[in-house]
Amino acid sequence: MATVSTNEMKSGTKVLVDGEPYSVVDNEYRKPGKGQATNSIKIRNLKNGRVIERTLKSGDTWEVADIEEIDMQYLYSDGEFWHFMNPTSFEQVQAGATAVADCSKWLKGEEACKVLFFNGIPLSVTPPNYVTLTITETDPGLRGDTSGSGGKPATLETGAVVRVPLFVQQGEVIKVDTRTGDYLGRVGK
Amino acid sequence: MPRWRPDASLATLKARAELCGSVRAFFMARGVLEVETPILSAHATVDRFIESFSTVDGRWLQTSPEFAMKRLLAAGSGPIFQIARVFRLEEQGRHHNPEFTMLEWYRPGFSMQQLMDEVEALMRALVGGAGGFQRLSYRDAFLRHAGFDPHSADATQMRAAAMAAELISAADFANEPAGFWLDLWMSRVVSPALGAAQPAFVYDFPASQAALAQVRQGPPPVAERFELFWRGIELANGFHELADAKEQRGRFEADQRYRCAAEQVVPPYDAHLIAALEAGLPDCSGVALGLDRVLMLKLGLSDLAQTLAFAADRA
């Protein structure tokens, strides 16, 4: 099993700690002039995103986590699994609900996603930063209000609900930032 | 930034040259002689936590000029100082570089407190400021910032306190000795709280951390050793120097046994130093000060690399 020493742990290094995959966020070397050196290492759990801090003696090692991120195209969902294709090799993989999680609400088909594999199994899926989707349901806006202040909820064709300005109407196509869920604007047809 | 470019700005390099100039002026005015000693030696430190670079011909790069300078003192040099380049394997981080610039000086006839006075005067000359530096015993620094007495707490108590303070998680470091916990508390909690405005001295270290300092009998016995901290960063380490050749050889041999048991490199200790102590080292105090760190703090830089023409990863 490949291991990585404290002095090789950089931001982004993937490590296996207590059987869980983590990504190194920060690594601070501390040493009293005449004393034991330690590293305080902040790591992010790649399954749940939680950041924890662990202390190691300098020179100690962790196992390297078998983590790979691949750009893949979303194909379809059969209700139980979400299917993705590697556009280079045309290889297809299926990801379960835990891996897809919140990402599924932005996917209708053909989106270029990033799939993170842990030991060859999809661990998480990141949607494109921006998606363009049709509003399937929203209340009619109040007449005369074009300021966009306050806004109203709108349901998109994939099921996601975002806040849109009052003047935006059902049937319109909008651009959304998937990282924040923010409405960015209407897309002309 | 292209990798051939320097880490330090030209303004910083000028400030570095001025800093070294101020150091030389300070000691010249006080009648302290500048010396140069070898960087390469047949011997090395055997300190448990300092690793030396070895060379292809079986010699060692110095981790401090201490041994050679003490040989000069034993030969009757009188007060001496040196601005030395020193090397420490594997020490790299925001406040560490594997080679760095150490100002080291020795004062025959000075007590530990007298040498702290001179360190304070030098810092005033280098970085300005007014008002006295705080002086805290190691015990008081721990009582104040860690909440326990470092001379009486045992490993189990310090580990439990570290868990309560969330310095470690429950599974970590089950079998470490007390010295490990003192170092962890010092580097994670106590030193970051020291010298927030003015630099602060910590003195009278546990006898277990005497290194090359004299031990003053207790209770508890303490090492006549001090360190200087500014904005949480360790700047200097000084000793009322151990002059007893037999005691010094005993400490070197104990460190070698520790290294051997821990399956670490066991360098040869400096037999010339032992011979010099046998011949007679004048009663003296000595101190080493990290000039790069002084420059970093003086200029308000966040990273030691910014004080170096080329830090280790582009050297």
Side-chain angles (χ1 to χ4, degrees), chain B residues 245-260:
Chain B
K246 195 161 159 255
E247 166 75 15
Q248 183 63 73
R249 182 188 282 123
R251 289 190 200 175
F252 279 161
E253 288 172 352
D255 283 343
Q256 286 185 323
R257 282 195 300 274
Y258 173 92
R259 287 182 154 269
C260 195

Side-chain angles (χ1 to χ4, degrees), chain B residues 128-201:
Chain B
F133 292 1
Q134 188 183 32
R135 292 186 190 188
L136 273 173
S137 71
Y138 187 93
R139 165 184 264 162
D140 285 343
F142 267 70
L143 285 173
R144 190 171 301 182
H145 299 295
F148 59 83
D149 183 340
H151 298 302
S152 61
D154 64 22
T156 310
Q157 290 164 330
M158 288 188 277
R159 181 171 186 273
M163 261 194 290
E166 297 184 346
L167 298 183
I168 59 158
S169 57
D172 296 338
F173 307 122
N175 296 306
E176 298 296 337
F180 172 86
W181 296 108
L182 290 175
D183 284 342
L184 185 75
W185 276 96
M186 190 56 155
S187 63
R188 294 288 297 278
V189 176
V190 179
S191 73
L194 295 172
Q198 292 281 322
F201 289 102

Side-chain angles (χ1 to χ4, degrees), chain B residues 63-111:
Chain B
T63 61
S64 122
E66 179 157 11
F67 304 148
M69 290 180 80
K70 283 183 176 168
R71 287 163 64 188
L72 291 179
L73 289 160
S77 66
I80 48 175
F81 82 97
Q82 176 164 203
I83 297 175
R85 190 60 68 91
V86 300
F87 303 82
R88 297 186 179 187
L89 194 62
E90 289 162 4
E91 295 195 9
Q92 187 149 16
R94 207 149 60 84
H95 300 146
H96 292 81
N97 194 66
E99 62 176 297
F100 61 100
T101 302
M102 181 180 271
L103 165 64
E104 184 146 332
W105 78 98
Y106 290 87
R107 282 295 208 162
F110 272 35
S111 68

Side-chain angles (χ1 to χ4, degrees), chain B residues 193-214:
Chain B
L194 295 172
Q198 292 281 322
F201 289 102
V202 173
Y203 63 93
D204 283 356
F205 277 61
S208 59
Q209 297 184 23
L212 283 78
Q214 287 191 21

Side-chain angles (χ1 to χ4, degrees), chain A residues 7-22:
Chain A
N7 57 14
E8 303 162 320
M9 294 177 193
K10 313 279 185 222
S11 175
T13 303
K14 306 296 190 291
V15 290
L16 194 66
V17 181
D18 303 332
E20 297 272 296
Y22 287 87

